[in-house]
Amino acid sequence: MADVFDKVDEVLAEIKSVEIADSDALEQFRIKYLGTKNIIKPLFGEIRNVPNERKKEFGQLLNSLKQEAEAKFEATKSTLSSAEGKKAASEIDLTAPNDPISRGSRHPVSIVMNRLIEVFERIGFTVAEEREIEDDWHNFTAMNTPEDHPARDMQDTFYLKNSVTRLLRTHTSSVQARVMTTEKPPIRIIAPGRVYRNETISARSHCQFHQVEGLYIDENVSFADMRQTLLYFAKEMYGPQTDIRLRPSYFPFTEPSAEMDVWMGTETETARKLTKGTGWLEVLGCGMVDPNVLENCGIDSEKYSGFAFGIGIERSAMQKYDISDIRLLFENDSRFLKQFSSVI
Ligand code: DAH
């Protein structure tokens, strides 16, 4: 009888004294004392050989044996894992070079557009952003270009499927109509954004590009005001020596209309190439807002006048960065894009 009690004591002493140095030893320990074929289990079978008056005592002894094994297993497991964590941490080489993280860069179109916004914001223009999916009225009709007007042929339009009135805006001039129908003069806005035209894609033209529209409406706004504003813009963008010229032109929404050229000179080869030898680079279209446009949008053309202008962004970006193919601006090839950097 003393045998089974002795056996339990023996196992208990064993559990207490065994040294578990690593996770392999811990696994051995688990299998031996806690696994499905552990050595404690058969001892429970011995209960039937223990006299009745000592059965309870024996049972409690076995339970404490089991608990001892479990407690030792858990305690060792946690000391081992924290020790291994420390060991792993000490193996980190703090002097090793970092994995290079490639930083993004701004798209050349954004760089030019942001610069332009900044220049106009300085003289009190605010940014108006509007939808790219427009209706016929805001894109054409309000802008003095009714349905049978030949000027609609100037801009090949993408219409939405199954629609004769919904289209992708062909110019940011549609924002003029949006603003004038919702705001009262004085109005002083610039509207940067993407526009679309159904054109064959080539090195020089694309079916999508960007414009910045400008609109200034107030009492007594004159052509001279427009010229001064555009001269200021040209000097800010191209340097203080810059000169401009306004050539008479035609747009349905302005009267009179003009195109503005900036003097690039003929000294450098780039300048000659860009200006086709003339020294003058065409930068924007502009003019005095046609009274019909004001009336279409509910603004009294007797009281108010104003000027508007539209600047193409891609051409400026291509000139600034010497990019010879417009398609590069829309392919998002990171080898191309990472060449540009900017703080704005
Ligand atoms: N919307 C014209 C275009 O896309 C550009 C333009 C010309 C805008 C004259 C204007 C303007 O506001 O006054 O070709």
Side-chain angles (χ1 to χ4, degrees):
M1 183 65 300
D3 284 2
V4 276
F5 279 86
D6 287 350
K7 179 74 186 153
V8 174
D9 280 346
E10 212 176 282
V11 175
L12 186 62
E14 211 177 272
I15 289 172
K16 281 185 171 164
S17 64
V18 68
E19 294 212 356
I20 308 170
D22 53 30
S23 52
D24 283 346
L26 182 66
E27 180 60 5
Q28 292 307 317
F29 179 89
R30 190 192 63 77
I31 293 168
K32 186 167 179 188
Y33 300 102
L34 302 166
T36 45
K37 290 182 181 161
N38 68 65
I39 63 164
I40 300 172
K41 246 186 212 170
L43 294 174
F44 279 92
E46 297 288 342
I47 288 184
R48 67 188 132 87
N49 303 324
V50 174
N52 281 346
E53 67 277 13
R54 294 199 72 186
K55 272 194 181 10
K56 191 177 169 196
E57 184 195 348
F58 188 72
Q60 283 168 347
L61 206 56
L62 284 180
N63 278 333
S64 64
L65 190 62
K66 216 173 121 188
Q67 280 160 13
E68 188 74 29
E70 277 164 3
K72 177 142 187 167
F73 175 78
E74 289 304 329
T76 318
K77 192 172 147 190
S78 78
T79 23
L80 279 181
S81 72
S82 81
E84 270 163 26
K86 279 193 195 126
K87 191 167 156 238
S90 70
E91 278 167 6
I92 293 172
D93 180 1
L94 296 175
T95 64
N98 208 346
D99 274 347
I101 299 168
S102 49
R103 295 172 69 194
S105 58
R106 263 201 219 297
H107 195 282
V109 166
S110 300
I111 297 175
V112 172
M113 208 141 74
N114 289 348
R115 172 92 183 102
L116 234 134
I117 291 170
E118 187 202 55
V119 167
F120 280 104
E121 274 182 341
R122 247 186 280 150
I123 54 168
F125 284 74
T126 54
V127 172
E129 271 181 311
E130 266 298 341
R131 64 210 75 189
E132 293 179 10
I133 295 177
E134 255 306 351
D135 55 49
D136 202 271
W137 192 83
H138 289 87
N139 195 81
F140 290 123
T141 312
M143 300 313 290
N144 204 27
T145 318
E147 219 163 285
D148 53 356
H149 198 290
R152 287 207 183 196
D153 298 341
M154 281 160 60
Q155 303 181 350
D156 291 318
T157 310
F158 283 120
Y159 283 89
L160 263 62
K161 228 177 185 169
N162 306 325
S163 177
V164 284
T165 54
R166 303 228 295 154
L167 48 82
L168 297 180
R169 67 180 178 190
T170 58
H171 53 183
T172 45
S173 301
S174 58
V175 185
Q176 289 191 35
R178 288 272 164 204
V179 173
M180 282 192 279
T181 49
T182 51
E183 284 174 34
K184 300 250 161 299
I187 292 170
R188 218 183 307 172
I189 57 108
I190 44 167
R194 193 188 293 248
V195 301
Y196 303 85
R197 287 185 204 172
N198 192 355
E199 274 174 32
T200 314
I201 298 171
S202 71
R204 297 203 56 81
S205 68
H206 209 283
C207 61
Q208 54 174 331
F209 51 97
H210 296 78
Q211 295 182 329
V212 171
E213 191 81 9
L215 178 68
Y216 192 141
I217 310 275
D218 204 347
E219 289 178 41
N220 303 318
V221 178
S222 69
F223 196 89
D225 294 329
M226 179 181 84
R227 193 182 188 284
Q228 272 316 109
T229 307
L230 295 177
L231 180 62
Y232 155 80
F233 155 72
K235 287 185 184 295
E236 289 297 316
M237 283 302 274
Y238 299 96
Q241 264 58 271
T242 305
D243 201 7
I244 60 164
R245 74 174 183 190
L246 293 170
R247 275 180 296 109
S249 185
Y250 172 75
F251 300 103
F253 28 88
T254 43
E255 182 58 39
S257 304
E259 265 164 297
M260 185 180 94
D261 299 339
V262 166
W263 178 245
M264 289 272 122
T266 48
E267 268 102 78
T268 68
E269 199 187 328
T270 325
R272 282 196 298 275
K273 213 170 90 191
L274 279 166
T275 65
K276 298 186 192 111
T278 65
W280 291 100
L281 179 71
E282 189 188 313
V283 170
L284 56 82
C286 60
M288 300 307 290
V289 179
D290 194 301
N292 287 340
V293 174
L294 295 174
E295 295 296 335
N296 288 343
C297 298
I299 291 177
D300 184 354
S301 65
E302 297 289 324
K303 188 170 176 202
Y304 294 105
S305 57
F307 63 81
F309 53 88
I311 309 169
I313 303 303
E314 275 72 8
R315 184 123 41 99
S316 300
M318 290 168 74
Q319 175 240 322
K320 183 173 163 117
Y321 295 110
D322 209 3
I323 299 164
S324 57
D325 191 325
I326 192 172
R327 289 170 290 200
L328 288 166
L329 295 170
F330 294 97
E331 280 163 2
N332 278 341
D333 185 330
S334 60
R335 290 168 303 179
F336 170 75
L337 293 176
K338 71 183 172 198
Q339 299 175 75
F340 306 96
S341 68
S342 159
V343 288
I344 56 167

